[in-house]
Amino acid sequence: MTEQERIELQQNNPLHGLKMEDMLTQLVDHYGWEILDTAMRLNCFNTKPSIASSVKYLKKTEWAREKVENFYLYRFKRMPKASEAEFEMPARSRTFAHGLKPREPMVLTVESILLSQAKAASAHKERTGRRPSRR
């Protein structure tokens, strides 16, 4: 894939040209701080949350910024999940097929997020509990 083709595909990424402040404003307006805190477990969404302080933290903390960008892409914009190869790339570098449009944001509640997290933890415990111990 040439650089020009990659740039054209990148134009369809909802993160392309989007400022962190604008992204957070959209997320907070739609979900609110409590849901964002429950879903991502970031202290900047819990302790005296504000757009300015969250942007400052996310600009300094790459792993947290990636977490928010992935939430924005896959829960708020509901874009198709990234392939394994693309998942290794930062969210802002991923490409989406031309003409692919974001869908309506996922409906989330604190309860639905906690239930989803509990199911994931249970599945992880079940997977790791079945392995023989190496003693």
Side-chain angles (χ1 to χ4, degrees):
M1 177 180 300
T2 68
E3 186 63 26
Q4 182 61 33
E5 289 172 328
R6 188 151 189 78
I7 289 171
E8 286 177 22
L9 285 172
Q10 179 65 15
Q11 296 289 334
N12 204 37
N13 185 331
L15 295 173
H16 182 74
L18 181 65
K19 293 180 181 178
M20 181 62 64
E21 182 176 352
D22 296 337
M23 180 189 335
L24 274 177
T25 301
Q26 289 178 41
L27 290 172
V28 171
D29 287 349
H30 187 78
Y31 291 117
W33 292 111
E34 185 179 14
I35 288 177
L36 294 178
D37 176 45
T38 304
M40 292 181 265
R41 298 180 180 166
L42 296 175
N43 198 37
C44 66
F45 295 160
N46 184 9
T47 308
K48 297 181 184 177
S50 74
I51 298 292
S53 66
S54 296
V55 167
K56 184 176 179 181
Y57 174 75
L58 293 170
K59 283 185 176 183
K60 288 192 235 178
T61 315
E62 186 176 339
W63 65 267
R65 182 176 58 251
E66 283 283 319
K67 199 171 199 177
V68 173
E69 288 174 346
N70 282 325
F71 182 91
Y72 183 85
L73 281 177
Y74 302 116
R75 290 200 177 172
F76 186 66
K77 292 296 184 178
R78 294 184 56 207
M79 299 300 282
K81 291 287 182 192
S83 67
E84 219 173 288
E86 283 211 329
F87 193 73
E88 298 295 322
M89 301 167 58
R92 287 191 180 268
S93 299
R94 295 182 192 147
T95 58
F96 295 94
H98 184 69
L100 186 65
K101 301 289 181 203
R103 296 183 293 168
E104 289 296 312
M106 191 178 277
V107 176
L108 297 174
T109 63
V110 170
E111 293 78 20
S112 69
I113 294 167
L114 292 174
L115 181 62
S116 176
Q117 290 171 347
K119 283 181 182 177
S122 176
H124 176 72
K125 186 176 180 182
E126 198 172 298
R127 279 193 314 271
T128 58
R130 290 186 179 162
R131 293 183 188 156
S133 65
R134 296 181 177 198
R135 289 187 181 191

